[in-house]
Amino acid sequence: MPASIDELLSLARTIAGEAGELVHARREAGVQIAATKTAPEDIVTAADRESEDLIRGRIADARPGDGFCGEESDATASSTGLTWVVDPIDGTVNYLYDIPAYAVSVAVVEGDPDPATWRALAAAVVNPTNGELYSASAGGGAYLGGRRLRVATGKQLSLALVGTGFSYDSRRRGLQAEAVSRLIPRVRDIRRIGSAALDLCAVAAGRLDAYYEKGLKPWDHAGGALVAAEAGATVAGLHGAPAGRALTIAAEPGLFAQLEPVLDELGVIDR
Ligand code: IPD
Ligand code: CA
Ligand code: CA
């Protein structure tokens, strides 16, 4: 069934909001680790699964035939050309510790669900702890609630507040920390907020000047990357590569041009 981008955006917002309420209610009731994944530090809670089930069900009801690619369940192929890329809780460790920086991220992309080739159409990222809802659509701009977001230009790298994240793999985390130790004298400061989706939205909202991370999965960045890009940020990897697992950098174009060669020099892509 063909849908307009506005309809997809509206659906993404509604579903992310509903899942956010569920996740928040479960947090109030108390959270326990349900299982570990790639490492003991890489956890899943019952609420992650419940949130993904809810989102998956709502999408299947509203858009039968669309594909689904979420963190906590098997992918479903698309028969419409559209696929929903979903992180049911981004920032699960924050969620476990009740640190109010986690999100539900719901994005819909056209083409194969591969960040190298997809075209993101619409996205919603909600932080259920404060009700902030970021959303964006291709060509339609980025919003925080009803406020249009535009990245500020003219920032010098030495005065940039830069967000990043670390791998669940302890060896890689150590290498990433070494790179950060060499970056931090060259920027204003570093933040490790703990949710890639919120980091990308923070670039859109001017709460971070830049963000970079190696190792992101499609659901970590699909929604936030569209929000950042629609706010005017460049979101990409090194040397014109698309954003993805190798590296995701987000910053307004002038700052991106200053940060990219520094990250290249620090060898972040090999870490
Ligand atoms: C993680 C968060 C974190 C980032 C990791 C992600 P999860 O997602 O976005 O900030 O540094 O790379 O895996 O596991 O909380 O969904
Ligand atoms: Ca995630
Ligand atoms: Ca997650």
Side-chain angles (χ1 to χ4, degrees), residues 37 41-43 48 71-72 87-95 101-103 164-168 176 192-199 211 213-217 219-221:
K37 298 192 283 185
E41 300 92 325
D42 186 5
I43 56 154
D48 287 87
E71 180 169 16
E72 310 298 349
D87 198 334
I89 301 178
D90 184 59
T92 295
V93 174
N94 285 347
Y95 186 68
Y102 52 86
T164 191
F166 299 109
S167 173
Y168 286 118
Q176 289 173 322
R192 197 296 192 241
I193 291 170
S195 160
L198 291 180
D199 289 326
Y211 163 74
E213 185 164 346
K214 176 183 166 62
L216 293 185
K217 309 276 177 40
W219 42 81
D220 294 319
H221 63 89

Side-chain angles (χ1 to χ4, degrees), residues 70-135:
E71 180 169 16
E72 310 298 349
S73 57
D74 292 340
T76 305
S78 176
S79 61
T80 62
L82 304 186
T83 297
W84 294 78
V85 184
V86 168
D87 198 334
I89 301 178
D90 184 59
T92 295
V93 174
N94 285 347
Y95 186 68
L96 181 68
Y97 283 79
D98 203 13
I99 295 171
Y102 52 86
V104 175
S105 177
V106 176
V108 56
V109 306
E110 188 175 51
D112 289 340
D114 175 354
T117 55
W118 75 33
R119 175 173 175 251
L121 297 181
V125 176
V126 66
N127 177 347
T129 71
N130 59 13
E132 287 188 336
L133 173 65
Y134 295 89
S135 60

Side-chain angles (χ1 to χ4, degrees), residues 7 16-17 26 35 54 66 95 116 119 136 146 151 157 166 186-187 199 239 254 266:
E7 286 167 344
R26 295 294 180 266
L54 182 149
D66 284 3
Y95 186 68
R119 175 173 175 251
V151 290
L157 182 61
F166 299 109
R186 301 169 75 163
V187 299
D199 289 326
H239 311 302
L266 295 179

